[in-house]
Amino acid sequence: MAIIKPFKGIRPVSELASKIAALPYDVMNSDEAREMVADNPYSFLHVDRAEVDLDPSIDVHDKRVYEKARENLDRMIKDGEYIQDKRPCLYIYRQIMNGRAQTGIVFCASIDDYMNNIIKKHEFTRADKEEDRINHVDYCDANTGPIFLTYKEDQIASEIIEAWIENESKRKPIYNFVAEDGISHIVWIIDNEIIINELIDLFKEVDYLYIADGHHRSASAVKVGLKRRKENPDYTGDEEFNYFLAVAFPDNDLMVMDYNRVVKDLNGLTRDQLIEKLEEKFTVTESTSKEPVKPAKKHTFGMYLENKWYVLEAKDGTYNAEDPIDSLDVAILQNNVLTPILGIEDVRTSDRIDFIGGIRGLKELERRVNKDMKVAFSMYPTEVRDIMSVADIGEVMPPKSTWFEPKLRSGLFVHQLK
């Protein structure tokens, strides 16, 4: 049973929403963030990456960065760039990318659901990244970026939710804009108490929610909530710090893009030696097209090497089809190519490998190989149900398995913890 809670959203005034809404803090570095805010004093990156307003010599984890984030958020509220809804609400958040829409419900999720594994995870988190967001949430006393959740559409009376969404979306949205990347963002407010309670009851039918994106943000939000509980031993469980900001989409709405690999060298092998080794586990075919190879099905890979594209098809016995992890394409490539042939033991730490999200296109693989890499592998996208299957058995996905698009914008909703 999943708990969802309405909240008094702090959100931009409508005329500034498109200027405030920003990409998540973790999809760019500090230099890129400084460029993004150069001509936009309203960007939420002034809160999510507050180092953009400080001298570049200051470490991004310095206390002054978190103090600046709180200062900037308070100023935006004081200056009227933000308003707060007078009563707890839910929200509908729709994104449209290349004509394809995904529509979710914005609410607050329970930190107890996270700890009790009602909210399931599929990634490890790093302590340093957690600490950064713990400090950010703690200093701001708010969740500033929503966690991207999903649920199995067939486990809930989804037709009722869809009917509510369809009905509510006939009303005038509070936001409707196209961001600089061409993605549309449309938001409606649900302030009818009857509808809110109906949606709360419907989500009680959901066995599990799954984190699609935002493992570090969710882990950090939970730890701040536990810190608040310790500071308030008489807490009742109803306080806002017991919840964190989230958006939940049905799994059939989501699109996972390919997450491709480029490697700096062939581990001492020649092209012919590499292909010979690959042929032990894969059927290797040189592509007759000049276009990049985009795999059309699972267990098939593209390889770009010395200005040629090849198709690699995993042979029977290369993987265990009954194992949710071993049968993942990222695991097949790792277990049969990257580690045993190219000598990359740990893709998390190796400086010989890089990862390129599918949003950048396969021509980017060619560009990187022609510039500073030696070989590239194009991947078939991981499916949402694959992610759920791994989470259901309490395991984690191999590194860099998923690339969700479109990204949720930060700054459209802020959830105060007090």
Side-chain angles (χ1 to χ4, degrees):
M1 181 179 78
I3 296 171
I4 72 168
K5 181 179 182 294
F7 65 105
K8 296 178 181 179
I10 296 174
R11 52 187 183 80
V13 294
S14 58
E15 61 269 25
L16 291 179
S18 62
K19 294 180 180 179
I20 288 175
L23 288 168
Y25 76 98
D26 54 356
V27 301
M28 81 284 291
N29 59 36
S30 286
D31 290 338
E32 291 168 334
R34 290 177 189 276
E35 291 180 15
M36 291 177 180
V37 305
D39 299 318
N40 184 4
Y42 299 105
S43 172
F44 200 69
L45 290 176
H46 290 285
V47 175
D48 258 0
R49 298 213 64 140
E51 72 267 18
V52 299
D53 294 324
L54 299 173
D55 189 280
S57 64
I58 295 176
D59 186 86
V60 296
H61 300 129
D62 191 284
K63 176 183 177 181
R64 288 170 287 182
V65 175
Y66 307 114
E67 291 174 336
K68 189 65 175 178
R70 176 60 183 263
E71 176 189 325
N72 286 344
L73 179 59
D74 287 348
R75 176 191 54 76
M76 295 175 82
I77 295 171
K78 181 181 178 181
D79 289 352
E81 296 168 18
Y82 274 90
I83 57 174
Q84 183 171 25
D85 290 312
K86 297 186 183 300
R87 55 183 176 180
C89 302
L90 299 175
Y91 306 84
I92 300 170
Y93 183 12
R94 176 173 295 160
Q95 297 173 291
I96 303 174
M97 176 181 172
N98 298 328
R100 185 181 187 280
Q102 60 182 36
T103 306
I105 303 292
V106 184
F107 55 81
C108 282
S110 164
I111 68 172
D112 292 298
D113 277 0
Y114 180 96
M115 293 186 292
N116 294 330
N117 213 32
I118 299 298
I119 298 174
K120 295 200 169 192
K121 308 87 180 166
H122 68 262
E123 285 184 9
F124 286 125
T125 56
R126 283 174 41 183
D128 58 335
K129 289 188 174 183
E130 273 193 35
E131 188 65 24
D132 169 59
R133 286 300 100 177
I134 288 171
N135 287 331
H136 179 82
V137 173
D138 203 15
Y139 274 80
C140 289
D141 201 27
N143 305 133
T144 60
I147 310 306
F148 188 165
L149 301 177
T150 187
Y151 57 90
K152 294 178 180 177
E153 183 266 347
D154 55 9
Q155 282 193 349
I156 191 172
S158 57
E159 69 280 359
I160 301 178
I161 289 182
E162 290 170 3
W164 280 128
I165 289 175
E166 181 63 27
N167 184 64
E168 289 298 297
S169 61
K170 292 176 182 176
R171 301 168 62 188
K172 182 179 179 180
I174 55 176
Y175 308 128
N176 188 353
F177 63 90
V178 179
E180 72 283 349
D181 55 7
I183 296 171
S184 297
H185 300 264
I186 311 170
V187 176
W188 294 268
I189 187 170
I190 305 177
D191 53 7
N192 183 306
E193 192 171 344
I194 294 174
I195 298 175
I196 290 172
N197 288 332
E198 179 74 15
L199 287 168
I200 289 171
D201 288 341
L202 284 170
F203 270 88
K204 290 178 181 177
E205 300 177 19
V206 175
D207 293 330
Y208 303 106
L209 293 168
Y210 298 81
I211 298 174
D213 200 7
H215 283 78
H216 288 93
R217 276 172 284 153
S218 54
S220 303
V222 169
K223 289 183 178 178
V224 172
L226 294 176
K227 179 175 180 287
R228 292 285 193 277
R229 286 182 174 183
K230 189 174 181 180
E231 294 166 350
N232 299 273
D234 295 327
Y235 74 91
T236 66
D238 293 328
E239 298 86 358
E240 294 299 323
F241 57 71
N242 295 288
Y243 301 88
F244 59 90
L245 183 62
V247 187
F249 297 85
D251 62 343
N252 58 356
D253 260 18
L254 301 187
M255 179 175 68
V256 187
M257 297 190 76
D258 42 307
Y259 211 162
N260 304 303
R261 278 84 166 121
V262 287
V263 180
K264 283 186 177 180
D265 58 72
L266 301 186
N267 197 28
L269 301 173
T270 65
R271 182 197 64 179
D272 291 343
Q273 288 172 331
L274 171 62
I275 291 175
E276 183 180 353
K277 287 183 175 294
L278 288 172
E279 287 177 332
E280 295 176 13
K281 296 293 184 69
F282 301 85
T283 300
V284 181
T285 308
E286 183 177 330
S287 175
T288 57
S289 172
K290 293 183 179 180
E291 293 301 310
V293 171
K294 185 176 179 64
K297 60 182 180 179
K298 284 185 174 183
H299 314 328
T300 302
F301 309 82
M303 181 177 72
Y304 184 65
L305 175 65
E306 295 186 4
N307 297 310
K308 292 182 180 179
W309 278 97
Y310 299 82
V311 178
L312 311 182
E313 294 185 72
K315 295 179 179 178
D316 291 342
T318 301
Y319 57 91
N320 180 358
E322 302 301 318
D323 188 314
I325 297 177
D326 194 60
S327 59
L328 292 170
D329 281 4
V330 288
I332 292 171
L333 188 72
Q334 180 67 42
N335 296 337
N336 296 281
V337 181
L338 298 180
T339 296
I341 299 178
L342 296 179
I344 299 173
E345 296 292 340
D346 189 346
V347 297
R348 290 185 180 88
T349 59
S350 175
D351 61 0
R352 295 174 53 227
I353 189 169
D354 201 0
F355 304 87
I356 299 174
I359 192 68
R360 304 189 69 175
L362 297 182
K363 287 292 185 180
E364 177 65 11
L365 301 186
E366 294 183 353
R367 189 190 72 81
R368 286 297 303 275
V369 169
N370 295 334
K371 177 188 176 184
D372 61 343
M373 294 291 183
K374 185 66 177 178
V375 62
F377 298 95
S378 57
M379 312 289 293
Y380 185 78
T382 302
E383 296 179 353
V384 176
R385 287 295 173 111
D386 290 332
I387 299 168
M388 292 175 165
S389 295
V390 171
D392 283 340
I393 62 173
E395 296 291 342
V396 296
M397 300 286 288
K400 309 294 185 182
S401 296
T402 58
W403 184 280
F404 284 92
E405 286 288 347
K407 301 293 185 186
L408 304 182
R409 289 274 161 156
S410 294
L412 290 176
F413 313 96
V414 174
H415 168 238
Q416 280 191 325
L417 301 186
K418 58 187 177 183

PDB file of all heavy atoms in Angstrom, residues 93-113:
ATOM      1  N   TYR A  93       1.292  16.630 -13.720  1.00  0.00           N
ATOM      2  CA  TYR A  93       2.462  17.125 -14.447  1.00  0.00           C
ATOM      3  C   TYR A  93       2.603  16.319 -15.726  1.00  0.00           C
ATOM      4  O   TYR A  93       2.856  15.116 -15.681  1.00  0.00           O
ATOM      5  CB  TYR A  93       3.704  16.975 -13.566  1.00  0.00           C
ATOM      6  CG  TYR A  93       5.005  17.512 -14.145  1.00  0.00           C
ATOM      7  CD1 TYR A  93       5.042  18.306 -15.276  1.00  0.00           C
ATOM      8  CD2 TYR A  93       6.215  17.222 -13.519  1.00  0.00           C
ATOM      9  CE1 TYR A  93       6.242  18.799 -15.785  1.00  0.00           C
ATOM     10  CE2 TYR A  93       7.431  17.720 -14.002  1.00  0.00           C
ATOM     11  CZ  TYR A  93       7.426  18.494 -15.137  1.00  0.00           C
ATOM     12  OH  TYR A  93       8.618  18.977 -15.641  1.00  0.00           O
ATOM     13  N   ARG A  94       2.412  17.003 -16.861  1.00  0.00           N
ATOM     14  CA  ARG A  94       2.532  16.338 -18.164  1.00  0.00           C
ATOM     15  C   ARG A  94       3.725  16.910 -18.919  1.00  0.00           C
ATOM     16  O   ARG A  94       3.920  18.127 -18.964  1.00  0.00           O
ATOM     17  CB  ARG A  94       1.257  16.524 -18.980  1.00  0.00           C
ATOM     18  CG  ARG A  94       1.321  15.952 -20.401  1.00  0.00           C
ATOM     19  CD  ARG A  94      -0.040  16.021 -21.073  1.00  0.00           C
ATOM     20  NE  ARG A  94      -0.996  15.153 -20.390  1.00  0.00           N
ATOM     21  CZ  ARG A  94      -2.325  15.280 -20.500  1.00  0.00           C
ATOM     22  NH1 ARG A  94      -2.844  16.234 -21.252  1.00  0.00           N
ATOM     23  NH2 ARG A  94      -3.120  14.443 -19.844  1.00  0.00           N
ATOM     24  N   GLN A  95       4.502  16.003 -19.508  1.00  0.00           N
ATOM     25  CA  GLN A  95       5.612  16.401 -20.365  1.00  0.00           C
ATOM     26  C   GLN A  95       5.380  15.810 -21.752  1.00  0.00           C
ATOM     27  O   GLN A  95       4.933  14.661 -21.875  1.00  0.00           O
ATOM     28  CB  GLN A  95       6.939  15.895 -19.805  1.00  0.00           C
ATOM     29  CG  GLN A  95       7.289  16.469 -18.436  1.00  0.00           C
ATOM     30  CD  GLN A  95       8.521  15.793 -17.854  1.00  0.00           C
ATOM     31  OE1 GLN A  95       8.488  14.629 -17.485  1.00  0.00           O
ATOM     32  NE2 GLN A  95       9.612  16.520 -17.792  1.00  0.00           N
ATOM     33  N   ILE A  96       5.682  16.585 -22.782  1.00  0.00           N
ATOM     34  CA  ILE A  96       5.522  16.121 -24.153  1.00  0.00           C
ATOM     35  C   ILE A  96       6.853  16.300 -24.870  1.00  0.00           C
ATOM     36  O   ILE A  96       7.396  17.401 -24.935  1.00  0.00           O
ATOM     37  CB  ILE A  96       4.417  16.885 -24.895  1.00  0.00           C
ATOM     38  CG1 ILE A  96       3.083  16.776 -24.133  1.00  0.00           C
ATOM     39  CG2 ILE A  96       4.251  16.342 -26.320  1.00  0.00           C
ATOM     40  CD1 ILE A  96       1.972  17.618 -24.718  1.00  0.00           C
ATOM     41  N   MET A  97       7.369  15.189 -25.380  1.00  0.00           N
ATOM     42  CA  MET A  97       8.650  15.200 -26.087  1.00  0.00           C
ATOM     43  C   MET A  97       8.473  14.490 -27.419  1.00  0.00           C
ATOM     44  O   MET A  97       8.078  13.324 -27.457  1.00  0.00           O
ATOM     45  CB  MET A  97       9.717  14.483 -25.241  1.00  0.00           C
ATOM     46  CG  MET A  97      11.057  14.334 -25.904  1.00  0.00           C
ATOM     47  SD  MET A  97      12.206  13.452 -24.795  1.00  0.00           S
ATOM     48  CE  MET A  97      13.594  13.207 -25.897  1.00  0.00           C
ATOM     49  N   ASN A  98       8.717  15.207 -28.499  1.00  0.00           N
ATOM     50  CA  ASN A  98       8.564  14.648 -29.848  1.00  0.00           C
ATOM     51  C   ASN A  98       7.184  14.033 -30.048  1.00  0.00           C
ATOM     52  O   ASN A  98       7.039  12.955 -30.645  1.00  0.00           O
ATOM     53  CB  ASN A  98       9.653  13.605 -30.111  1.00  0.00           C
ATOM     54  CG  ASN A  98      11.053  14.205 -30.065  1.00  0.00           C
ATOM     55  OD1 ASN A  98      11.246  15.370 -30.412  1.00  0.00           O
ATOM     56  ND2 ASN A  98      12.028  13.415 -29.626  1.00  0.00           N
ATOM     57  N   GLY A  99       6.171  14.697 -29.527  1.00  0.00           N
ATOM     58  CA  GLY A  99       4.806  14.243 -29.690  1.00  0.00           C
ATOM     59  C   GLY A  99       4.368  13.156 -28.726  1.00  0.00           C
ATOM     60  O   GLY A  99       3.196  12.751 -28.725  1.00  0.00           O
ATOM     61  N   ARG A 100       5.265  12.694 -27.877  1.00  0.00           N
ATOM     62  CA  ARG A 100       4.959  11.621 -26.925  1.00  0.00           C
ATOM     63  C   ARG A 100       4.797  12.210 -25.537  1.00  0.00           C
ATOM     64  O   ARG A 100       5.652  12.966 -25.077  1.00  0.00           O
ATOM     65  CB  ARG A 100       6.089  10.587 -26.932  1.00  0.00           C
ATOM     66  CG  ARG A 100       5.840   9.364 -26.088  1.00  0.00           C
ATOM     67  CD  ARG A 100       7.038   8.425 -26.155  1.00  0.00           C
ATOM     68  NE  ARG A 100       6.777   7.172 -25.499  1.00  0.00           N
ATOM     69  CZ  ARG A 100       6.838   6.992 -24.172  1.00  0.00           C
ATOM     70  NH1 ARG A 100       7.158   8.003 -23.386  1.00  0.00           N
ATOM     71  NH2 ARG A 100       6.590   5.810 -23.646  1.00  0.00           N
ATOM     72  N   ALA A 101       3.700  11.862 -24.865  1.00  0.00           N
ATOM     73  CA  ALA A 101       3.398  12.458 -23.559  1.00  0.00           C
ATOM     74  C   ALA A 101       3.576  11.451 -22.435  1.00  0.00           C
ATOM     75  O   ALA A 101       3.340  10.247 -22.594  1.00  0.00           O
ATOM     76  CB  ALA A 101       1.972  12.994 -23.543  1.00  0.00           C
ATOM     77  N   GLN A 102       4.019  11.951 -21.274  1.00  0.00           N
ATOM     78  CA  GLN A 102       3.967  11.175 -20.033  1.00  0.00           C
ATOM     79  C   GLN A 102       3.316  12.081 -18.992  1.00  0.00           C
ATOM     80  O   GLN A 102       3.625  13.271 -18.893  1.00  0.00           O
ATOM     81  CB  GLN A 102       5.347  10.695 -19.587  1.00  0.00           C
ATOM     82  CG  GLN A 102       6.373  11.773 -19.301  1.00  0.00           C
ATOM     83  CD  GLN A 102       7.728  11.196 -18.918  1.00  0.00           C
ATOM     84  OE1 GLN A 102       8.152  10.153 -19.436  1.00  0.00           O
ATOM     85  NE2 GLN A 102       8.430  11.859 -18.004  1.00  0.00           N
ATOM     86  N   THR A 103       2.382  11.504 -18.237  1.00  0.00           N
ATOM     87  CA  THR A 103       1.570  12.304 -17.317  1.00  0.00           C
ATOM     88  C   THR A 103       1.596  11.666 -15.937  1.00  0.00           C
ATOM     89  O   THR A 103       1.250  10.490 -15.786  1.00  0.00           O
ATOM     90  CB  THR A 103       0.118  12.398 -17.824  1.00  0.00           C
ATOM     91  OG1 THR A 103       0.113  12.886 -19.169  1.00  0.00           O
ATOM     92  CG2 THR A 103      -0.683  13.340 -16.943  1.00  0.00           C
ATOM     93  N   GLY A 104       2.011  12.432 -14.945  1.00  0.00           N
ATOM     94  CA  GLY A 104       2.137  11.908 -13.590  1.00  0.00           C
ATOM     95  C   GLY A 104       1.403  12.749 -12.565  1.00  0.00           C
ATOM     96  O   GLY A 104       0.936  13.854 -12.845  1.00  0.00           O
ATOM     97  N   ILE A 105       1.306  12.195 -11.369  1.00  0.00           N
ATOM     98  CA  ILE A 105       0.696  12.878 -10.235  1.00  0.00           C
ATOM     99  C   ILE A 105       1.812  13.339  -9.301  1.00  0.00           C
ATOM    100  O   ILE A 105       2.683  12.544  -8.921  1.00  0.00           O
ATOM    101  CB  ILE A 105      -0.248  11.942  -9.456  1.00  0.00           C
ATOM    102  CG1 ILE A 105      -1.324  11.377 -10.384  1.00  0.00           C
ATOM    103  CG2 ILE A 105      -0.889  12.687  -8.287  1.00  0.00           C
ATOM    104  CD1 ILE A 105      -2.316  12.372 -10.890  1.00  0.00           C
ATOM    105  N   VAL A 106       1.780  14.620  -8.928  1.00  0.00           N
ATOM    106  CA  VAL A 106       2.769  15.194  -8.006  1.00  0.00           C
ATOM    107  C   VAL A 106       2.194  15.137  -6.595  1.00  0.00           C
ATOM    108  O   VAL A 106       1.067  15.586  -6.360  1.00  0.00           O
ATOM    109  CB  VAL A 106       3.102  16.648  -8.373  1.00  0.00           C
ATOM    110  CG1 VAL A 106       4.195  17.196  -7.468  1.00  0.00           C
ATOM    111  CG2 VAL A 106       3.515  16.752  -9.846  1.00  0.00           C
ATOM    112  N   PHE A 107       2.971  14.579  -5.672  1.00  0.00           N
ATOM    113  CA  PHE A 107       2.520  14.426  -4.295  1.00  0.00           C
ATOM    114  C   PHE A 107       3.729  14.346  -3.389  1.00  0.00           C
ATOM    115  O   PHE A 107       4.879  14.456  -3.836  1.00  0.00           O
ATOM    116  CB  PHE A 107       1.660  13.163  -4.149  1.00  0.00           C
ATOM    117  CG  PHE A 107       2.328  11.891  -4.618  1.00  0.00           C
ATOM    118  CD1 PHE A 107       3.238  11.207  -3.819  1.00  0.00           C
ATOM    119  CD2 PHE A 107       2.055  11.379  -5.878  1.00  0.00           C
ATOM    120  CE1 PHE A 107       3.850  10.045  -4.246  1.00  0.00           C
ATOM    121  CE2 PHE A 107       2.656  10.208  -6.331  1.00  0.00           C
ATOM    122  CZ  PHE A 107       3.552   9.543  -5.514  1.00  0.00           C
ATOM    123  N   CYS A 108       3.492  14.139  -2.120  1.00  0.00           N
ATOM    124  CA  CYS A 108       4.579  13.832  -1.194  1.00  0.00           C
ATOM    125  C   CYS A 108       4.514  12.356  -0.839  1.00  0.00           C
ATOM    126  O   CYS A 108       3.438  11.822  -0.529  1.00  0.00           O
ATOM    127  CB  CYS A 108       4.488  14.689   0.062  1.00  0.00           C
ATOM    128  SG  CYS A 108       5.095  16.367  -0.203  1.00  0.00           S
ATOM    129  N   ALA A 109       5.663  11.698  -0.922  1.00  0.00           N
ATOM    130  CA  ALA A 109       5.776  10.278  -0.598  1.00  0.00           C
ATOM    131  C   ALA A 109       6.291  10.131   0.830  1.00  0.00           C
ATOM    132  O   ALA A 109       6.921  11.035   1.390  1.00  0.00           O
ATOM    133  CB  ALA A 109       6.715   9.591  -1.577  1.00  0.00           C
ATOM    134  N   SER A 110       6.050   8.979   1.409  1.00  0.00           N
ATOM    135  CA  SER A 110       6.378   8.725   2.810  1.00  0.00           C
ATOM    136  C   SER A 110       7.805   8.201   2.973  1.00  0.00           C
ATOM    137  O   SER A 110       8.211   7.274   2.263  1.00  0.00           O
ATOM    138  CB  SER A 110       5.390   7.707   3.380  1.00  0.00           C
ATOM    139  OG  SER A 110       5.847   7.143   4.595  1.00  0.00           O
ATOM    140  N   ILE A 111       8.544   8.768   3.924  1.00  0.00           N
ATOM    141  CA  ILE A 111       9.882   8.241   4.185  1.00  0.00           C
ATOM    142  C   ILE A 111       9.788   6.828   4.767  1.00  0.00           C
ATOM    143  O   ILE A 111      10.707   6.023   4.610  1.00  0.00           O
ATOM    144  CB  ILE A 111      10.721   9.166   5.087  1.00  0.00           C
ATOM    145  CG1 ILE A 111      10.176   9.238   6.513  1.00  0.00           C
ATOM    146  CG2 ILE A 111      10.821  10.563   4.498  1.00  0.00           C
ATOM    147  CD1 ILE A 111      11.098   9.997   7.474  1.00  0.00           C
ATOM    148  N   ASP A 112       8.672   6.510   5.432  1.00  0.00           N
ATOM    149  CA  ASP A 112       8.494   5.150   5.958  1.00  0.00           C
ATOM    150  C   ASP A 112       8.295   4.158   4.823  1.00  0.00           C
ATOM    151  O   ASP A 112       8.788   3.029   4.884  1.00  0.00           O
ATOM    152  CB  ASP A 112       7.313   5.106   6.928  1.00  0.00           C
ATOM    153  CG  ASP A 112       7.591   5.877   8.214  1.00  0.00           C
ATOM    154  OD1 ASP A 112       8.532   5.497   8.933  1.00  0.00           O
ATOM    155  OD2 ASP A 112       6.888   6.861   8.468  1.00  0.00           O
ATOM    156  N   ASP A 113       7.577   4.563   3.778  1.00  0.00           N
ATOM    157  CA  ASP A 113       7.437   3.694   2.607  1.00  0.00           C
ATOM    158  C   ASP A 113       8.798   3.417   1.984  1.00  0.00           C
ATOM    159  O   ASP A 113       9.067   2.309   1.506  1.00  0.00           O
ATOM    160  CB  ASP A 113       6.523   4.347   1.572  1.00  0.00           C
ATOM    161  CG  ASP A 113       5.049   4.119   1.874  1.00  0.00           C
ATOM    162  OD1 ASP A 113       4.742   3.464   2.883  1.00  0.00           O
ATOM    163  OD2 ASP A 113       4.205   4.596   1.086  1.00  0.00           O
TER     164      ASP A 113
END
